[in-house]
Amino acid sequence: MISEAADLETLQAATLADVLALGPLPLGKALCHALEIATALRELHRQNRIYGQVSTRTVLLEPGGAQLAPLPNYWERGEIGRDVRAFGRLLYEMVSGSPPPAEPQTARAMTLTLQRGAAGRQAPLLKLAAHCMDGNT
């Protein structure tokens, strides 16, 4: 895990993927970045647009916080659930340090997996990530 003292701001405009290569984020940083990303997605969704490409490679970490990388075209129409599921995968990866399992799992199945192995303070965020990825959102 990246230490709380790690100065991520020195990685100016690094992608989330670059930072996660060093390990999972501290919970406080993960929560802050999750809120920033969720806020950006909410603004797009309010305009009836979706981002469509939420991933660790399209999230930029800058001194001011996490931002979605500008895309040439945002999807004018589409299923908002696509962004929600991708956000869940992103949250899972920020907290765990690794991508979620490739095989589809329901939130319940993933929660059972997490109860067996997730570290205490991480478990609620990982459950939220599983709920987002469930596809019934």
Side-chain angles (χ1 to χ4, degrees):
M1 177 183 284
I2 299 171
S3 77
E4 285 285 355
D7 185 13
L8 297 179
E9 283 73 23
T10 61
L11 297 174
Q12 302 208 354
T15 66
L16 182 55
D18 296 333
V19 174
L20 289 175
L22 303 173
L25 296 178
L27 289 179
K29 281 242 187 249
L31 278 172
C32 286
H33 292 327
L35 179 60
E36 293 159 346
I37 295 161
T39 300
L41 289 172
R42 182 186 65 203
E43 290 307 311
L44 278 174
H45 296 164
R46 284 183 175 168
Q47 300 168 24
N48 292 320
R49 300 162 82 192
I50 66 168
Y51 190 73
Q53 296 181 30
V54 178
S55 76
T56 58
R57 299 234 175 264
T58 60
V59 172
L60 302 177
L61 299 180
E62 298 180 342
Q67 299 182 36
L68 294 171
L71 295 177
N73 296 309
Y74 297 99
W75 297 18
E76 291 299 324
R77 293 197 178 130
E79 181 201 11
I80 288 175
R82 175 185 176 129
D83 281 349
V84 173
R85 288 185 297 275
F87 174 77
R89 289 189 296 274
L90 203 68
L91 181 57
Y92 184 98
E93 195 162 348
M94 283 193 289
V95 174
S96 72
S98 60
E103 66 275 355
Q105 292 187 357
T106 64
R108 181 182 169 153
M110 218 165 168
T111 299
L112 291 174
T113 301
L114 293 170
Q115 286 173 344
R116 284 186 231 124
R121 289 180 27 195
Q122 294 174 330
L125 283 179
L126 293 172
K127 287 178 187 177
L128 173 61
H131 178 72
C132 290
M133 291 183 289
D134 188 33
N136 295 321
T137 55

